[in-house]
Amino acid sequence: MNNFSYKLEKNHNPSMGLIVLQADQRIELDARQQFEPEVNLHISRIPSAATVTTETLKQMEKDLPIAVSLLPNAVDFDVVGYGCTSGTSVIGAENIAKIVKDRCKTKHVTEPVSALIAACRHLGIERIGFLSPYVEAVSTGLRETLFLSGVETPIFGSFNEEIEERVVKISTVSISDAAVELGRQDVDAIFLSCTNLNTLPVIKSIEEKIRKPVLSSNQVLAWHMSQLSNGGLSKSCEGYLFK
């Protein structure tokens, strides 16, 4: 046997972690589209129920520590994102940050709610039209959190869907038509809520029709993770948020 010496290399690219719902078929694909290939993106999955209710969202608080602990122990993360908008409103952003930092080494933690608030402040947005795939009760807590952070949601629209696996199948045409209808009302911008909703392909076209910013869960999460890690976002990202 030949024994060889070797040198260890340091990684100078951003290291990011992402906690993805078991049922989510969209966020991981969107993240890899929005980040540069050089980003070291590590994914862990968390169990999630087939139906979306306050109770099933709350259950993820118990499962989150295990999901975080399955990220590579040797990595010093620049940022870790928890990929659930409605789940954040139920569990709480501060609670999520504590759980994540207790179970892995990371400088920053974010999720779609904190990311949305940061994006709204960045763009000077105070009133948004809110489009959700879920029944209104699931979004009530999130809208209250936004209100307390200075972002009003006077216009609300929903596809009234409870089954998670159907959300990813909602057509981009349906999303666009609903967003345009909401966006033509008295709001500063539109928010497309849910990390499992296929929003990236239609953001630019909706913005062109309503002449207002359009934000989505996966878009603002990637943007905020990039902000917190000082880079890594693809130059191909489109929309008011990236101008």
Side-chain angles (χ1 to χ4, degrees):
M1 182 180 73
N2 296 317
N3 292 316
F4 298 98
S5 62
Y6 61 87
K7 296 180 180 179
L8 299 177
E9 294 182 345
K10 290 185 177 180
N11 170 40
H12 298 289
N13 294 323
S15 292
M16 303 183 186
L18 185 60
I19 310 299
V20 176
L21 273 60
Q22 180 181 2
D24 198 319
Q25 301 177 51
R26 193 68 247 170
I27 186 172
E28 186 172 350
L29 300 174
D30 287 357
R32 297 195 185 281
Q33 288 183 54
Q34 294 179 98
F35 292 127
E36 293 287 358
E38 292 78 17
V39 169
N40 297 299
L41 183 62
H42 301 274
I43 307 292
S44 182
R45 293 260 170 180
I46 184 170
S48 56
T51 58
V52 180
T53 66
T54 301
E55 290 72 25
T56 59
L57 292 169
K58 183 69 174 175
Q59 174 61 37
M60 282 191 285
E61 181 176 2
K62 299 178 181 178
D63 296 324
L64 185 56
I66 296 176
V68 176
S69 68
L70 292 176
L71 290 169
N73 292 328
V75 177
D76 290 318
F77 291 98
D78 295 290
V79 60
V80 172
Y82 168 64
C84 185
T85 317
S86 300
T88 299
S89 69
V90 173
I91 301 170
E94 291 184 2
N95 196 15
I96 290 169
K98 183 180 184 305
I99 292 172
V100 172
K101 287 188 173 183
D102 283 347
R103 292 295 179 125
C104 75
K105 295 174 289 186
T106 182
K107 297 181 182 71
H108 303 283
V109 178
T110 188
E111 15 62 33
V113 179
S114 296
L116 174 61
I117 293 168
C120 286
R121 290 174 179 167
H122 176 73
L123 294 172
I125 293 168
E126 296 180 349
R127 291 165 56 85
I128 60 174
F130 190 114
L131 179 62
S132 170
Y134 306 123
V135 295
E136 185 174 5
V138 171
S139 301
T140 299
L142 171 53
R143 295 173 69 192
E144 291 175 354
T145 298
L146 293 175
F147 180 78
L148 293 173
S149 300
V151 181
E152 298 180 39
T153 57
I155 306 299
F156 178 78
S158 172
F159 294 117
N160 291 307
E161 183 55 65
E162 293 182 336
I163 309 301
E164 187 66 72
E165 68 179 21
R166 292 174 60 88
V167 171
V168 72
K169 298 177 183 178
I170 294 174
S171 73
T172 52
V173 173
S174 299
I175 296 168
S176 179
D177 288 347
V180 168
E181 182 176 336
L182 295 178
R184 286 174 174 158
Q185 302 183 57
D186 183 20
V187 292
D188 302 327
I190 290 296
F191 176 57
L192 311 176
S193 183
C194 182
T195 60
N196 204 22
L197 204 60
N198 188 17
T199 60
L200 294 190
V202 293
I203 287 176
K204 183 179 179 181
S205 64
I206 298 170
E207 288 184 334
E208 290 173 348
K209 291 175 182 176
I210 66 175
R211 302 296 177 183
K212 298 174 183 178
V214 175
L215 307 174
S216 77
S217 291
N218 291 349
Q219 176 213 48
V220 297
L221 182 58
W223 172 82
H224 200 217
M225 290 175 70
S226 175
Q227 294 287 305
L228 294 171
S229 63
N230 296 314
L233 203 63
S234 171
K235 294 179 176 62
S236 64
C237 291
E238 297 179 330
Y240 279 73
L241 187 58
F242 306 113
K243 290 182 179 178

